Amino acid sequence: MANLIDGKAVSAKVKAEVRDEAAKLKEQGISIGLAVVIVGNNPASRVYVNSKKKACEEVGFNSYEYALDENITQQELLDLIDVLNNDDKVNGILVQLPLPKHIDENAIINAISPDKDVDAFHPYNVGKIMIGEFSFLPCTPAGVMELIDSTGVNISGKSAVVIGRSNIVGKPMSMLLLHRNATVTICHSRTTNLLEICNAADIIVAAVGKANFVTGDMVKEGAIVIDVGINRLENGKLCGDVDFEAVSKKAGYITPVPGGVGPMTIAMLMKNTLTAAKLKANIK
Ligand code: NDP
């Protein structure tokens, strides 16, 4: 039976470190602020935004919410980003995705000042991740790295498979594993020999968005299996991309959903906001 990787415990540790550092900065007169922008009434986005605001409270940051009408124009949103880019109280800007269809998400991401881009989605920060000289960590992949590290297993030289190649998860995930000297294979919807590739993997990161996609026969005995997926079943329950029942019988380590990667993403967002404040204050 696999060891469970407890995302709640690991994220609590990351947040405690952030809280301690934020408290020290406060003693030096430096307050930290995160602007959270939400457009429209998407219920899932509302849940995420509330969790991010709650995390800000936990670590001692100020959070500034901008809840905008569904029908706001792209230009109005760009104008708000411009104001936030120039607001000294704001160290990080988070625009909750997805945005309504009439707004070009890339135009908004590109407008965020790279030194306030705490999601690390701006092409400047994406490029820095590529060359391994990054200030901001891509939140979900960085959270996954913390979870893998919490097992004590050395990533260097391991065979890692990332299923999914999105700009938000799959691609930056592969880069972080590569920077830590894993041999990385990226799989996607056109991959033909997924079973064979996964069977050889020491580490599998599933970021597909399909319930129970990773089955027991895909996993090598003792492998580390990290489940990034968040899928809502017809009965309303949340589940990941991994068939937990079957895979936990073979894996060495496995993350649950919920309680695995999800809490880590928010913890890493707090860490990035702290980093933004430290960079602005010229503190290493
Ligand atoms: P996307 O839909 O952008 O990407 C899904 C990826 O899965 C694509 O690259 C796609 O391939 C690949 N894929 C789809 N079908 C198959 C298949 N049959 N075989 C192999 N690969 C396949 O999703 P995201 O990366 O944004 O998110 C993935 C999951 O992670 C979602 O469930 C999302 O909700 C969750 N998520 C969780 C977060 C957290 O904090 N826990 C944060 C962000 C996301 P192709 O490119 O060829 O289409």
Side-chain angles (χ1 to χ4, degrees):
M1 198 67 186
N3 295 295
L4 201 65
I5 305 176
D6 184 349
K8 279 189 196 155
V10 181
S11 69
K13 189 164 163 267
V14 171
K15 281 190 284 187
E17 285 163 10
V18 171
R19 191 185 55 225
D20 289 351
E21 278 206 63
K24 283 188 196 132
L25 291 182
K26 208 162 207 168
E27 283 167 16
Q28 299 172 44
I30 300 168
S31 293
I32 303 177
L34 176 68
V36 185
V37 181
I38 175 169
V39 182
N41 305 310
N42 180 330
S45 292
R46 175 40 70 192
V47 171
Y48 291 133
V49 162
N50 288 349
S51 313
K52 288 165 188 175
K53 282 167 56 186
K54 186 167 161 261
C56 281
E57 262 174 49
E58 282 177 55
V59 299
F61 296 172
N62 300 313
S63 68
Y64 308 103
E65 180 180 314
Y66 296 83
L68 308 173
D69 188 84
E70 176 87 26
N71 296 317
I72 189 171
T73 65
Q74 180 164 316
Q75 190 54 51
E76 284 170 318
L77 185 51
L78 287 170
D79 290 345
L80 172 64
I81 300 293
D82 189 44
V83 169
L84 298 175
N85 281 341
N86 292 299
D87 185 339
D88 273 344
K89 295 193 304 299
V90 172
N91 298 102
I93 302 170
L94 179 135
V95 178
Q96 186 63 47
L97 303 179
L99 292 169
K101 294 228 165 7
H102 66 279
I103 298 177
D104 175 2
E105 283 184 359
N106 285 335
I108 303 303
I109 289 169
N110 293 355
I112 296 173
S113 170
D115 51 9
K116 295 190 179 186
D117 170 40
V118 285
D119 261 334
F121 290 164
H122 190 288
Y124 175 83
N125 287 320
V126 173
K128 298 245 288 185
I129 291 161
M130 191 78 171
I131 58 175
E133 287 177 10
F134 41 91
S135 327
F136 296 128
L137 306 150
C139 297
T140 301
V144 170
M145 296 304 283
E146 293 275 342
L147 292 175
I148 297 172
D149 282 335
S150 77
T151 67
V153 172
N154 183 4
I155 295 171
S156 180
K158 294 288 185 300
S159 159
V161 172
V162 179
I163 317 176
R165 57 173 163 180
S166 70
N167 290 333
I168 293 174
V169 187
K171 283 183 202 158
M173 185 71 249
S174 316
M175 279 301 128
L176 295 194
L177 286 162
L178 184 63
H179 291 321
R180 293 282 298 278
N181 300 317
T183 302
V184 185
T185 307
I186 308 171
C187 298
H188 46 78
S189 65
R190 315 291 167 87
T191 300
T192 49
N193 50 346
L194 188 65
L195 180 69
E196 191 186 316
I197 293 169
C198 287
N199 265 316
D202 302 308
I203 300 168
I204 297 177
V205 180
V208 188
K210 291 186 176 164
N212 298 327
F213 183 83
V214 176
T215 47
D217 58 340
M218 291 166 77
V219 176
K220 183 168 91 172
E221 287 285 340
I224 298 176
V225 180
I226 307 285
D227 191 350
V228 180
I230 303 175
N231 308 294
R232 190 153 306 265
L233 299 175
E234 275 178 12
N235 63 10
K237 272 191 156 178
L238 277 189
C239 86
D241 288 346
V242 175
D243 177 354
F244 187 87
E245 248 329 270
V247 171
S248 59
K249 293 195 176 96
K250 285 179 86 181
Y253 297 90
I254 189 167
T255 58
V257 176
V261 176
M264 291 308 298
T265 298
I266 296 179
M268 301 319 281
L269 175 71
M270 298 300 115
K271 193 163 176 174
N272 279 347
T273 308
L274 172 72
T275 302
K278 284 164 67 178
L279 286 173
K280 181 166 169 254
N282 260 324
I283 298 169
K284 289 244 165 168

